[in-house]
Amino acid sequence: MAEKRVREKAASSEHELETEFVEGQKWKGNYALKRKVKDEPIKKIKVTKLPDGAVEETLMNYFENMRRNGGGPIETIEYHPATSSAIIEFQEADAVDRVLKKQPLLFLKKQISVEEYVEEKEEPPSCTIEVQGFVKNTTEDMLEMYFENSKRSGGGEVVGVVIECGVALVTFADENVASSVCEREHTLGGRKLNVSLHLPKKKSSAVEAVKVEEDAVVPVCTVEVRGYKMGSEATIELYFENAKRSGGDEIVKFDPFDSDGVIFITFASKEVARRVSELERQHVVAGCTLDVKLYEPPKCKSTLKLPQICSKEPEESVPHCTIAVRAVTRRMIETVPLYFENKKRSGGDEIVKFEYNEENEIAYITYESEEVARRVVKLGQHKLEGLPLKVKLFIPPQPRPHYEDRVLLEQLTSKITRDSLTNFLEARIGLTPSEIFFGDEGDKAVIIFNEKIDFQKLEEACKQRSLEGKHLQPSKVHVSNCILVLNLKITTTEDEIELYFENEKRSWGGPVEKVEFKREEEYCLVYFEDHASLHQVKGQALKVTLDKPPTSIPTYNNKVLLAGLPSNVNTNCLSNFLEVKIGQTPVHFLYNKEMDKVIITFKDTIDFEKLEEACKKRPVEGSYLKPSKVHFSNCIIISHLQTTTTDDMIAFYFENKARSSGGPVEKVEFKRKEGYCLVFFEDHTTCERVLRQTHNIDGSWLRLSMYFECLGCQREH
């Protein structure tokens, strides 16, 4: 059973509280708990399961090795050979956290257990109640709804419910609520409930039957992986560094124990480990379905599951007295205020202010108090003139900030290329773009840098100096409040999307401003009222990306494809033809295998209409050539691969931006007999980054080049 340590600070003149959550079986996203009180940072660890032959000197040398085991200078060691354990005190508290993050640890070739060593003191008040006497078919949801109904039970916000052996443990967000609930009588399903405060320190009948051993504190940033194919360790490491495929991220420690058939992988954060272990789809690497779970150290099993206690202080906030009512047509303007002032029908009261947005068909109604506004929203469904109204609390959105590392440039011409734009920015503001995204029309581009932009300097540069005869217009880029949602079912409705993304427990989202469906393009745009919701949603189970709808792939302005080449046409003949007819000299030729097609690259922008006209009027060696524009390629061709290299290994490597400068991979096509493979990226700009550096996979230096599907197998001249 892995554990999650979460600290919560409570204002107190005498002590600081630390709350320890023990992650057992999941229930409502909450975890079991035990509390400890401490007056100073933890500097001690308890080491158990030490092998025979351990001595204090060896332990000191082992735990003072910061590089290998994360420790540091040791103050004292208390070694207990009889129990194969030791208490070690470090000179600094940070050493304890470092050691815990390095688990699992091997000492004298044996795995040991390490945990924080803290003396337990008196328990603080409990937020949890014990409930007994309910009917057999009572569910956790039913109890949660009952105890969240302040009118019926006197309760409040419930953070967790678990039922076991006829006893329910209900945890409230506020310990005062738990106490007041116990003072009332309760009836549910015709049965009188027996409700009492749950105090873990008191050995009730449920606790006496089970001796709970104090759990070892193991960082939840470690997962254990089983069921893998021997020899695929390198691929597995790449896979779990790939956030898109596995939900993982940076790996700080990778320990394969081949004799036991298990790999321990430690990530940089607890959230990543949890995301990997709870991924909805299966982890498949090298044809094997992996068994992945959070690392569970050996321990005494307990059948008792304790609830989460939350003592988070409520934040002070500005009263929200306004509701937003959607689907209000113009002819309903007079009846809507009457309805929402009718306390019996809508739960409302006297309206202080009424505003109507005709374009979006939204009415904003302000009451004197937040209590009234929340009562109206809580009522649920509202109907007027037989039509349903969507009502929710209106919380003014925070002003959207600007990105500090990106800028929008407008007034671009067709002559402006990626290279010319890069050169202009490097010369004028001394910064090199890391990414450039052109708009569909080619007259706008979002430029992303690796550092903060001096926007005033850029504005001045664009005013003073033109690019290809145009003065560019820079503007700051607002942080987006919109996401693009793909992989939708045909039957999915706007209401379903809105409800899903407004449910913070399920999607990590927040209040939705609007949903725009693009049925033909099979995607929808979701606009949040608060831009911060976007960053919480990204990376969840549903496929979500930034608000960048699918765009057509642009074409090169200095390349052209010539088809219909006769067998007797060579490079010199083509060069002479092009120099005479369009006045430009080619710098590169790329033929297909049959030599009947060629992609020709020029130094400058091509006058494509002039070339088309020339090819129509004048044949070359008796054949009229057929010119066409060349789309930017999203594919590279790779050769010099090892025979042991797999599709997965290629995909994981090129999706790891830190290693390959790559990005999301659309697909990998292996041509084993021909000795090469094709890698298709989701974004065509990724190819340029990848081709700028050398690559080594499986001990082999690879040969890479751009691949154009319009040519097929290609050869350079």
Side-chain angles (χ1 to χ4, degrees):
M1 184 183 295
E3 298 183 352
K4 176 183 178 185
R5 174 164 298 278
V6 177
R7 292 177 179 167
E8 56 171 354
K9 295 185 178 178
S12 170
S13 59
E14 296 182 0
H15 59 260
E16 174 183 330
L17 297 183
E18 180 185 86
T19 302
E20 180 181 84
F21 295 90
V22 181
E23 181 185 37
Q25 297 181 12
K26 276 189 72 178
W27 51 279
K28 305 288 184 186
N30 300 304
Y31 308 94
L33 165 146
K34 61 180 178 180
R35 281 191 167 191
K36 296 178 181 179
V37 180
K38 59 176 194 170
D39 300 313
E40 58 184 12
I42 298 174
K43 294 184 180 180
K44 293 183 180 182
I45 59 172
K46 182 178 180 180
V47 186
T48 56
K49 300 179 183 176
L50 289 168
D52 296 336
V55 294
E56 288 187 9
E57 184 179 0
T58 310
L59 283 168
M60 181 172 289
N61 291 335
Y62 182 86
F63 283 103
E64 282 191 336
N65 190 324
M66 186 184 300
R67 185 180 66 84
R68 291 192 60 187
N69 308 311
I74 291 175
E75 190 73 33
T76 60
I77 292 182
E78 297 175 21
Y79 177 46
H80 306 286
T83 58
S84 300
S85 64
I87 306 298
I88 299 175
E89 181 180 8
F90 292 99
Q91 292 180 8
E92 55 181 35
D94 290 346
V96 174
D97 291 332
R98 291 198 300 268
V99 169
L100 294 176
K101 288 179 180 177
K102 286 286 186 178
Q103 291 198 88
L105 293 172
L106 292 179
F107 178 74
L108 300 181
K109 298 183 179 180
K110 182 181 178 182
Q111 186 172 320
I112 57 176
S113 294
V114 181
E115 61 182 339
E116 284 183 352
Y117 182 74
V118 183
E119 294 182 2
E120 291 190 5
K121 297 185 180 180
E122 186 179 352
E123 290 282 338
S126 176
C127 301
T128 304
I129 60 172
E130 288 185 13
V131 183
Q132 300 182 52
F134 47 84
V135 295
K136 190 174 182 180
N137 61 351
T138 302
T139 64
E140 293 173 357
D141 284 340
M142 193 180 299
L143 286 172
E144 181 177 351
M145 288 187 287
Y146 173 77
F147 284 106
E148 279 193 335
N149 189 318
S150 57
K151 184 177 179 181
R152 290 192 62 191
S153 67
E157 182 185 354
V158 173
V159 296
V161 180
V162 63
I163 299 175
E164 184 156 327
C165 301
V167 178
L169 297 178
V170 181
T171 302
F172 296 97
D174 187 347
E175 58 198 30
N176 293 325
V177 174
S179 299
S180 64
V181 166
C182 292
E183 295 172 359
R184 297 178 55 158
E185 291 187 353
H186 301 273
T187 303
L188 183 63
R191 297 278 292 273
K192 185 176 179 180
L193 304 181
N194 182 12
V195 179
S196 60
L197 203 62
H198 175 73
L199 299 174
K201 280 289 180 180
K202 296 179 180 180
K203 292 188 178 181
S204 63
S205 58
V207 179
E208 287 176 344
V210 182
K211 182 180 179 181
V212 182
E213 179 183 292
E214 184 178 64
D215 296 321
V217 179
V218 180
V220 293
C221 24
T222 301
V223 297
E224 60 177 87
V225 181
R226 298 179 183 272
Y228 64 94
K229 182 180 180 181
M230 293 296 180
S232 63
E233 289 84 352
T235 307
I236 289 173
E237 185 172 4
L238 285 170
Y239 172 79
F240 283 104
E241 282 187 336
N242 188 309
K244 178 185 173 185
R245 301 273 179 133
S246 66
D249 208 330
E250 178 189 356
I251 292 175
V252 297
K253 193 174 182 183
F254 186 85
D255 288 328
F257 288 77
D258 291 341
S259 59
D260 297 328
V262 61
I263 296 175
F264 294 101
I265 301 175
T266 303
F267 296 99
S269 75
K270 304 170 184 177
E271 289 74 17
V272 174
R274 177 165 296 136
R275 189 168 67 224
V276 167
S277 65
E278 296 176 358
L279 196 70
E280 291 184 358
R281 62 178 180 273
Q282 292 181 325
H283 295 280
V284 180
V285 178
C288 296
T289 301
L290 307 181
D291 178 17
V292 181
K293 60 182 179 179
L294 287 170
Y295 174 66
E296 299 179 0
K299 58 172 63 181
C300 295
K301 294 185 179 179
S302 168
T303 59
L304 180 65
K305 293 183 284 185
L306 302 177
Q308 176 179 358
I309 293 179
C310 177
S311 62
K312 183 179 178 181
E313 294 291 330
E315 298 178 359
E316 293 185 6
S317 59
V318 178
H320 301 297
C321 307
T322 303
I323 61 172
V325 185
R326 299 190 184 187
V328 176
T329 61
R330 186 161 187 80
R331 64 184 179 82
M332 299 167 67
I333 292 178
E334 293 184 4
T335 55
V336 165
L338 295 173
Y339 172 79
F340 283 101
E341 280 189 335
N342 187 314
K343 188 173 183 179
K344 182 178 180 181
R345 293 190 63 194
S346 67
D349 209 327
E350 182 181 351
I351 293 175
V352 175
K353 188 178 180 181
F354 180 87
E355 294 178 315
Y356 180 61
N357 184 322
E358 186 174 359
E359 182 181 353
N360 296 319
E361 294 188 336
I362 300 176
Y364 296 96
I365 298 173
T366 304
Y367 295 102
E368 288 186 352
S369 70
E370 182 174 341
E371 181 184 356
V372 176
R374 290 190 178 276
R375 188 171 66 216
V376 172
V377 174
K378 192 174 182 180
L379 193 62
Q381 292 186 348
H382 293 271
K383 282 189 176 184
L384 190 59
E385 299 180 7
L387 299 173
L389 300 175
K390 296 180 181 179
V391 181
K392 64 180 180 180
L393 199 66
F394 176 71
I395 300 175
Q398 295 293 324
R400 286 164 56 195
H402 298 94
Y403 291 104
E404 294 184 337
D405 62 345
R406 59 197 69 185
V407 67
L408 172 68
L409 291 180
E410 299 182 83
Q411 299 297 319
L412 274 64
T413 67
S414 58
K415 294 182 179 180
I416 295 177
T417 64
R418 194 178 301 272
D419 289 338
S420 65
L421 201 52
T422 300
N423 292 334
F424 175 82
L425 294 167
E426 287 176 343
R428 296 298 154 195
I429 63 172
L431 294 178
T432 302
S434 61
E435 291 183 278
I436 299 177
F437 296 99
F438 287 95
D440 288 343
E441 306 299 326
D443 59 344
K444 297 178 184 179
V446 172
I447 320 293
I448 301 178
F449 300 88
N450 288 326
E451 52 191 297
K452 187 178 178 180
I453 306 164
D454 186 336
F455 188 76
Q456 291 183 346
K457 186 176 180 180
L458 176 60
E459 274 189 316
E460 196 63 31
C462 292
K463 288 178 183 177
Q464 293 179 357
R465 186 68 180 266
S466 63
L467 180 61
E468 298 292 350
K470 275 279 188 178
H471 286 277
L472 308 183
Q473 293 183 1
S475 57
K476 294 181 178 180
V477 180
H478 283 285
V479 174
S480 178
N481 70 328
C482 178
I483 57 173
L484 167 69
V485 183
L486 307 172
N487 294 353
L488 294 171
K489 293 182 179 178
I490 299 176
T491 55
T492 303
T493 64
E494 290 185 23
D495 283 343
E496 287 176 309
I497 291 292
E498 185 174 335
L499 289 170
Y500 175 82
F501 283 106
E502 286 193 336
N503 186 317
E504 293 187 21
K505 288 185 178 180
R506 295 191 63 192
S507 69
W508 291 61
V512 171
E513 183 180 294
K514 63 178 178 178
V515 177
E516 290 184 2
F517 255 98
K518 309 290 182 180
R519 292 289 184 188
E520 294 181 0
E521 292 85 354
E522 297 181 348
Y523 70 88
C524 80
L525 301 175
V526 179
Y527 294 83
F528 291 97
E529 292 181 0
D530 184 358
H531 66 86
S533 299
L534 179 145
H535 302 287
Q536 297 170 350
V537 169
K538 280 179 62 186
Q540 298 306 309
L542 190 65
K543 186 174 181 182
V544 177
T545 61
L546 286 172
D547 54 330
K548 184 177 178 291
T551 58
S552 57
I553 299 176
T555 56
Y556 293 97
N557 58 13
N558 67 333
K559 295 180 188 291
V560 66
L561 172 69
L562 291 181
L565 301 180
S567 58
N568 56 343
V569 169
N570 56 35
T571 300
N572 289 333
C573 179
L574 285 173
S575 295
N576 293 334
F577 173 79
L578 294 166
E579 287 172 2
V580 172
K581 296 302 175 184
I582 64 172
Q584 288 184 273
T585 303
V587 295
H588 186 263
F589 291 83
L590 186 65
Y591 291 89
N592 66 343
K593 187 177 181 181
E594 293 77 16
M595 297 292 286
D596 60 350
K597 294 180 183 178
V598 63
I599 290 178
I600 303 174
T601 304
F602 298 86
K603 184 178 181 181
D604 301 315
T605 301
I606 305 164
D607 187 337
F608 188 76
E609 291 181 0
K610 188 176 180 180
L611 176 60
E612 274 190 314
E613 195 64 29
C615 290
K616 288 178 182 178
K617 290 181 178 179
R618 182 70 180 268
V620 178
E621 297 295 339
S623 296
Y624 288 93
L625 306 183
K626 298 176 182 177
S628 57
K629 294 182 179 181
V630 180
H631 286 280
F632 275 90
S633 176
N634 69 329
C635 179
I636 58 173
I637 182 170
I638 306 173
S639 57
H640 295 182
L641 291 161
Q642 297 276 25
T643 55
T644 54
T645 303
T646 63
D647 298 35
D648 283 343
M649 192 177 291
I650 292 289
F652 301 153
Y653 175 81
F654 282 105
E655 285 191 333
N656 188 320
K657 194 170 183 179
R659 294 196 181 194
S660 66
S661 297
V665 171
E666 186 178 291
K667 62 179 177 178
V668 176
E669 291 184 2
F670 246 107
K671 310 290 182 181
R672 295 284 184 188
K673 292 182 180 179
E674 293 83 354
Y676 69 87
C677 83
L678 302 176
V679 178
F680 294 83
F681 294 98
E682 291 184 1
D683 184 357
H684 65 85
T685 61
T686 307
C687 295
E688 296 180 12
R689 294 199 307 267
V690 168
L691 293 173
R692 290 193 197 113
Q693 69 179 65
T694 56
H695 302 271
N696 186 301
I697 298 180
D698 247 0
S700 176
W701 291 101
L702 310 181
R703 181 182 178 185
L704 283 73
S705 59
M706 195 75 79
Y707 180 83
F708 296 95
E709 287 189 275
C710 57
L711 281 185
C713 290
Q714 51 203 38
R715 59 175 73 175
E716 296 187 31
H717 272 247

